Amino acid sequence: MAASPAYALIATDLDGTLLRGDDTVSERSLAALARAERAGARHLVVTGRPAPRVRPLLTALGSTGLAVCGQGAQVYDAGSGRMLWSVRLDRELAETALGKIEAEVGPVFAAVDQDGTDGLTLIEPGYRMPHPTLPAVGVARRDDLWGAPISKVLLRHATLSDDELAAAARSVVGSLATVTMSGPGTVELQPCGVTKATGLARAAERLGIPAAAALAFGDMPNDIPMFRWAAHGVAMANAHPELKAVADEVTTSNEDDGIAVVLERLFPAGRPGTAGVPKALGPGVGQ
């Protein structure tokens, strides 16, 4: 019989956290997650990526459970391939927010993630995808971004840093949208009030697991709400200073198996059913 888990829920960000720079998950990290799950814990991916960009990773992991996607705007069921819950960003609000941001900082380049399990990522001319392994469809002009319902808008600026662009956006957007920064070259607008914490809370409620039993791993400011919701937040060594400032602890980097370092401490070897090491995922399964 499996021992009681140190934490009943393990929430992991993807890029810069569970994933290494070559878009793989190490054997050590997979083994540590598998050991925790055998002990009774549930592992949830909690990511800024929309569900269509998470499916290949979930398939490679053999996951048939829930995943929180789109910065918390989507709860996706990998087992059934269905979206259990989603929130859309209103087009008019998005356009108004973009107008306010450009009035403040000058022209920006925009992209959108469409809502739904088969939604596309559309990019306007000049927008450069921060992760070249992810698929995107170019459109001729900004108006073409709004042809279908969207979950979020992605922004880039020719000269401003991510921190500068995010700060400027927050100063003018107000209640039109939530502004997040989820990685290099990734400043985003999502529905107002929606964060990784709101999506994770909804998924955890469905699983019957309280925040007091949750452990969260992340690397960027968009993980701050998730850390504040969970009982224990662990920042990677490569994390943004804003996240480290609110973390309960800092582990090693994503390249040095930071998640495994913590899980091996919390779920030590020798518990029932810990034999065997899963294979590492191949390239291209994640952002």
Side-chain angles (χ1 to χ4, degrees):
M1 182 175 180
S4 298
Y7 289 96
L9 178 62
I10 301 168
T12 64
D13 173 50
L14 290 182
D15 301 289
T17 303
L18 180 61
L19 295 181
R20 299 181 293 190
D22 63 355
D23 282 358
T24 62
V25 181
S26 73
E27 290 187 356
R28 183 181 177 187
S29 293
L30 285 171
L33 286 167
R35 182 189 299 167
E37 290 183 316
R38 285 193 293 270
R42 300 290 294 269
H43 172 221
L44 264 67
V45 166
V46 184
T47 177
R49 300 185 189 197
R53 307 296 168 261
V54 180
R55 279 206 307 261
L57 174 62
L58 298 175
T59 298
L61 285 169
S63 175
T64 58
L66 306 183
V68 179
C69 308
Q71 302 292 10
Q74 302 171 331
V75 176
Y76 174 72
D77 182 358
S80 65
R82 295 187 301 115
M83 195 78 76
L84 301 183
W85 179 80
S86 67
V87 182
R88 295 172 176 176
L89 178 58
D90 180 81
R91 168 187 170 162
E92 291 186 4
L93 294 180
E95 288 188 297
T96 300
L98 275 175
K100 286 180 174 291
I101 293 168
E102 290 190 314
E104 182 72 11
V105 302
V108 299
F109 301 110
V112 300
D113 283 335
Q114 293 179 331
D115 187 36
T117 56
D118 297 309
L120 301 173
T121 297
L122 304 181
I123 59 175
E124 71 176 357
Y127 185 90
R128 180 170 56 87
M129 288 291 288
H131 297 275
T133 60
L134 290 179
V137 177
V139 298
R141 55 200 181 101
R142 181 169 294 181
D143 282 350
D144 296 330
L145 297 176
W146 320 114
I150 64 171
S151 61
K152 65 180 177 180
V153 177
L154 302 90
L155 307 174
R156 302 199 74 163
H157 193 277
T159 59
L160 293 181
S161 69
D162 298 328
D163 288 291
E164 290 169 335
L165 178 57
R170 290 190 186 102
S171 72
V172 297
V173 165
S175 62
L176 293 172
T178 295
V179 179
T180 61
M181 183 172 60
S182 59
T186 314
V187 175
E188 302 176 352
L189 305 177
Q190 60 202 71
C192 185
V194 170
T195 67
K196 283 190 174 184
T198 60
L200 179 55
R202 185 172 288 271
E205 181 181 14
R206 192 177 184 94
L207 296 172
I209 301 174
L215 170 68
F217 293 88
D219 74 310
M220 290 299 290
N222 65 321
D223 295 313
I224 291 175
M226 178 169 71
F227 275 28
R228 289 176 173 159
W229 179 84
H232 194 78
V234 183
M236 315 305 288
N238 49 286
H240 191 283
E242 290 182 15
L243 186 67
K244 288 183 177 179
V246 303
D248 295 298
E249 71 173 288
V250 177
T251 185
T252 56
S253 73
N254 61 318
E255 299 293 342
D256 295 318
D257 300 307
I259 288 178
V261 168
V262 175
L263 293 183
E264 287 165 359
R265 183 187 80 229
L266 296 174
F267 301 88
R271 291 189 178 185
T274 58
V277 178
K279 296 181 180 179
L281 305 184
V285 297
Q287 179 174 318

